[in-house]
Structures are given as structure tokens and as C-alpha cells.
Amino acid sequence: MKLSLSNGIFCKLRLDGNLTAVKQLGFQNIEFNMKSIKKEHDTDVYREQKALAASGLNCLTLHSAVMHVKDPIEVHQAVYYGKISLECARALHAPLMTVHSNVSKKLPRQVRERCLREVFDEITPFAKSLGIKLALENLSYTSTGFGKNVEQLEEVLDVIDPDGKMGITFDLCHALETKEMDNLLDAYGRRVCNVHMANKAHKPFTQETPELTRFLNKLHDCGYEGPITLELEHKTPMEEIAKSKALFEKLLKKY
Ligand SMILES: [Zn+2]
């Protein structure tokens, strides 16, 4: 398993300062979160490419810009966010992009299905043409999006991924908040290709807990060797990030 940091935590900084902060903490790998890019710059992927190259960091994964569509009129905007994120993933040589379902949990089922289909009918073939794998993330009950448990994720995957090619980004914080960790692991353990690692409320783990140990053991039993991406709340102090990094460096030696 490979330790990584989501740079979304430094999204308030300018891009060069953002990546410098990641480096100063001693990380080698990042998940590039699209919220690190200001909207007016979102089409200038070469800026990001240059900044990443200058930092020497590896971009293992990219977190798509996301819009949880609450009306079919917003489908085009969600598609735009998805495609511009894929362009950025290509520029940063990220082989994997984390996506949400892109639909609001408030939509009635039939409309939800239509919006899901319309969004992913555009995004999926574009990702395929760029050779980028998509990984659907499990959400928390606090999210405006749809897809917090196995039942909801199955509904989404039935529509957008009938061939079972899509990966899963397992967000442990969300799984703990919804108390779905074991169910999600049982259903998707072998499809996981990215992990968002944090305790509830995106607080950093600074010591081992029984749930964390169980999670890592189960993931290891599924043969998981991908990123462990620390995805932390943006007010997390630097010392706490450093403590969490040290904990995972120690823990991951076992796997
Ligand atoms: Zn996440």
C-alpha cells in the first residue's frame, strides 16, 4: 500500500504553495483534488502540469470536481466538471480518477436514473479514451449526493457500470459515519482501487483503533496494494498531519 495525501487540505493556498506544503510534510505521493484549482483557471491544465513537475511529487489519483445534480438542467455542467477533471488527470499522468455519483439524493428514482445515465454516458467513454480508470466513492449521510451504502451504490453501478469495470474509492471516514464499513468491504473489498483515509469528520488517525486495524487487515486480505490517501479536514494542524503520516508509515510496513 502506498501512502498519499489529498492536496484538497491546502485548497485555500495558491497551487505552488499548496504543493510545497505537501512536500514539506515529506509526502512523495498526492491525490490531486480539483478543488485546489480556482474556477477561472480550470481549463489551464498546463499550469497544474508545470507545478506538479516542479514539485517532483507523483500524482497517484485525481479527485474529480463534482456537481450533485438536483435538476436535469444541471447535467451539462456536471459533464463539464467531469471532463475538465479528466483532462487534468491526463496532464498529471494520474491513472485513476475518483468520482461521486454526481446526482443529488433528493432526486426521485426515475429522474436520478436518467441524470446518472446522461452524465456517465459522456464521462465514461471519455475516461476510457484517455486510459483513465474511474473509481466511485461511497458518500456520507451528510453529503448532498447519492451513494452512501451498498444498496444505493448498487443502484448507481447498475446504471453507469453494467460491465463491472468501475473501481471503488473507499472513504473510511464516510463508512464510519454511516456505520457501513463492514458491509461495504464485504461487497466491494476486491474492487477497491483507492482509499480515502480519515476518522469521522475527516479527523486524522493519530493512533491505531480497533476499527482501523480491522479495516486494514480486511483490505490486505483482499490483496489491496493501492493508495492510502490521507483526506483530512482543511483546518487540521500541520503537527496532526505529520503525526498521522508517521502512524501510517509504521502501520503500512505490515502490509
Ligand atoms: Zn473522500
Side-chain angles (χ1 to χ4, degrees):
M1 300 187 201
K2 298 177 222 96
L3 189 59
S4 180
L5 178 70
S6 164
N7 75 336
I9 188 170
F10 300 127
C11 66
K12 301 267 191 303
L13 302 178
R14 282 166 47 114
L15 192 60
D16 45 356
N18 176 321
L19 298 177
T20 303
V22 178
K23 285 274 287 192
Q24 275 169 352
L25 284 158
F27 286 91
Q28 291 166 355
N29 304 315
I30 58 162
E31 170 160 284
F32 191 94
N33 191 308
M34 287 298 284
K35 68 182 176 192
S36 309
I37 303 182
K38 289 198 173 61
K39 266 213 183 89
E40 58 270 29
H41 294 143
D42 65 5
T43 49
D44 188 4
V45 293
Y46 301 107
R47 250 168 82 101
E48 282 71 56
Q49 195 173 38
K50 263 204 214 148
L52 184 76
S55 75
L57 292 162
N58 303 314
C59 182
L60 300 183
T61 53
L62 180 136
H63 194 309
S64 176
V66 173
M67 167 155 212
H68 296 143
V69 169
K70 29 184 204 318
D71 185 293
I73 194 79
E74 294 172 334
V75 161
H76 305 292
Q77 209 174 339
V79 168
Y80 170 77
Y81 284 169
K83 286 191 171 176
I84 201 69
S85 300
L86 281 163
E87 288 285 7
C88 194
R90 165 164 66 176
L92 302 183
H93 306 292
L96 191 100
M97 183 168 97
T98 292
V99 292
H100 292 186
S101 65
N102 280 286
V103 290
S104 163
K105 61 186 174 191
K106 292 197 174 141
L107 283 176
R109 181 168 182 156
Q110 275 187 332
V111 187
R112 184 161 71 226
E113 199 174 313
R114 185 184 130 199
C115 292
L116 270 172
R117 190 163 279 130
E118 287 182 6
V119 171
F120 283 90
D121 274 358
E122 297 266 354
I123 293 177
T124 308
F126 189 51
K128 197 173 171 211
S129 74
L130 300 181
I132 295 169
K133 189 174 167 91
L134 299 178
L136 180 68
E137 176 171 2
N138 62 299
L139 302 177
S140 183
Y141 65 91
T142 53
S143 172
T144 57
F146 185 78
K148 66 176 182 183
N149 55 26
V150 174
E151 186 193 354
Q152 294 188 359
L153 290 167
E154 280 304 291
E155 184 194 312
V156 172
L157 289 167
D158 276 350
V159 179
I160 68 173
D161 183 43
D163 309 334
K165 293 218 171 102
M166 193 169 279
I168 296 288
T169 289
F170 196 114
D171 189 305
L172 181 59
C173 161
H174 299 165
L176 293 172
E177 287 177 348
T178 53
K179 301 190 171 64
E180 293 289 339
M181 182 178 96
D182 291 295
N183 291 336
L184 289 164
L185 273 172
D186 290 343
Y188 302 119
R190 298 205 172 267
R191 283 177 82 167
V192 174
C193 40
N194 184 21
V195 169
H196 283 170
M197 177 56 76
N199 210 337
K200 287 177 190 168
H202 291 279
K203 297 263 187 274
F205 283 104
T206 51
Q207 53 191 13
E208 227 174 322
T209 68
E211 276 163 324
L212 177 60
T213 309
R214 196 161 86 244
F215 175 73
L216 289 172
N217 283 338
K218 272 199 174 186
L219 212 55
H220 178 65
D221 290 345
C222 291
Y224 185 70
E225 294 181 338
I228 297 289
T229 308
L230 306 188
E231 191 185 52
L232 307 172
E233 198 261 325
H234 77 266
K235 288 193 185 119
T236 313
M238 292 296 258
E239 313 83 75
E240 293 285 296
I241 309 172
K243 265 193 213 164
S244 197
K245 175 174 179 280
L247 171 70
F248 283 100
E249 277 168 347
K250 192 182 89 190
L251 289 179
L252 298 189
K253 281 196 188 119
K254 289 196 246 164
Y255 299 101

